Amino acid sequence: MNFKKFLPWIIAVVVIFGIYSWASGIYNNAVTLEQDVKESWGNVQTSYQRRNDLIPNLVETVKGAANFEKSTLTAVIEARAKATAITIDPKNVTPEQLTAFNSAQSGVSSSLSKLLVSVERYPELKANQNFLKLQDELASTENQILTARTRFNESVKPYNNNINTFPRNILAGMYGLKEKPYFEAATGADKAVKVKF
């Protein structure tokens, strides 16, 4: 049997197998990293959901205070409704979607801040144990949101690096993999907040 006769076929099979292994390795790594992004996004949503779940209890507690500003409560309820109406698929997230989501969540944060500032004028609320507990839970939730957003950005970076470096970017384009956007600070977050009592 003449081994040299089959040598080109053997080399072709080895080269094809090597290219297949390399390409599938790049794709599989991208899929793994994308799953990390999805998990991180799920954690972001869970943190925001916890805050959204606290808002009705906070509003009901505040409603009990006589003569509390109804417009402030309405603003909180409307901001929450707007924020919960926005849904994002982490696989196909775009910068525009993330900006809209971030804007809606900033509206909730802003209306909650106004609510908490206006509470200062109501001594019976400041002494209400339910309100104080909800206020502590809300502060804890805001910290969880910050942590979840930071971890989301941390999971986006290796994914984007993986699909944007050469020669992976060629295969990523063939596989339809796109860069994921990062969470950015809300517009105006660079300016100090002025609190008035």
Side-chain angles (χ1 to χ4, degrees):
M1 187 166 148
N2 189 355
F3 180 71
K4 290 183 181 181
K5 181 178 170 184
F6 294 106
L7 188 59
W9 288 102
I10 293 170
I11 291 172
V13 167
V14 168
V15 168
I16 289 170
F17 181 74
I19 291 172
Y20 169 78
S21 297
W22 173 75
S24 64
I26 288 173
Y27 179 76
N28 291 339
N29 191 35
V31 167
T32 300
L33 292 171
E34 188 172 46
Q35 290 302 313
D36 291 343
V37 171
K38 285 180 181 179
E39 178 187 20
S40 295
W41 180 250
N43 292 337
V44 167
Q45 287 182 310
T46 300
S47 297
Y48 278 117
Q49 184 61 51
R50 181 171 187 252
R51 178 173 74 176
N52 288 334
D53 291 344
L54 287 172
I55 290 172
N57 295 332
L58 188 66
V59 167
E60 286 303 314
T61 303
V62 171
K63 269 185 186 176
N67 302 321
F68 193 83
E69 294 93 348
K70 301 295 181 216
S71 61
T72 305
L73 292 175
T74 304
V76 172
I77 293 166
E78 288 173 356
R80 177 183 179 267
K82 185 177 179 184
T84 55
I86 297 176
T87 56
I88 294 178
D89 175 10
K91 186 173 176 72
N92 300 313
V93 65
T94 64
E96 295 78 20
Q97 289 174 325
L98 203 56
T99 299
F101 180 85
N102 206 17
S103 176
Q105 296 300 338
S106 293
V108 175
S109 297
S110 175
S111 62
L112 281 173
S113 294
K114 289 175 186 170
L115 173 77
L116 295 175
V117 167
S118 62
V119 161
E120 291 297 318
R121 290 178 278 196
Y122 296 87
E124 70 276 11
L125 263 178
K126 290 179 7 181
N128 182 313
Q129 291 303 310
N130 286 340
F131 178 79
L132 294 174
K133 184 178 178 204
L134 286 167
Q135 196 174 16
D136 287 345
E137 284 186 45
L138 202 54
S140 169
T141 300
E142 293 298 330
N143 288 333
Q144 288 177 2
I145 288 170
L146 175 63
T147 300
R149 287 173 53 138
T150 301
R151 289 184 180 154
F152 174 79
N153 283 349
E154 288 171 353
S155 69
V156 166
K157 182 181 178 182
Y159 173 82
N160 286 346
N161 285 343
N162 183 61
I163 67 165
N164 287 324
T165 54
F166 182 80
R168 292 181 175 104
N169 59 344
I170 296 168
L171 289 173
M174 291 171 40
Y175 292 138
L177 302 173
K178 295 177 183 161
E179 187 171 347
K180 309 279 187 205
Y182 290 97
F183 260 112
E184 295 179 1
T187 306
D190 56 335
K191 295 177 179 67
V193 178
K194 292 179 183 175
V195 179
K196 294 180 183 176
F197 293 103

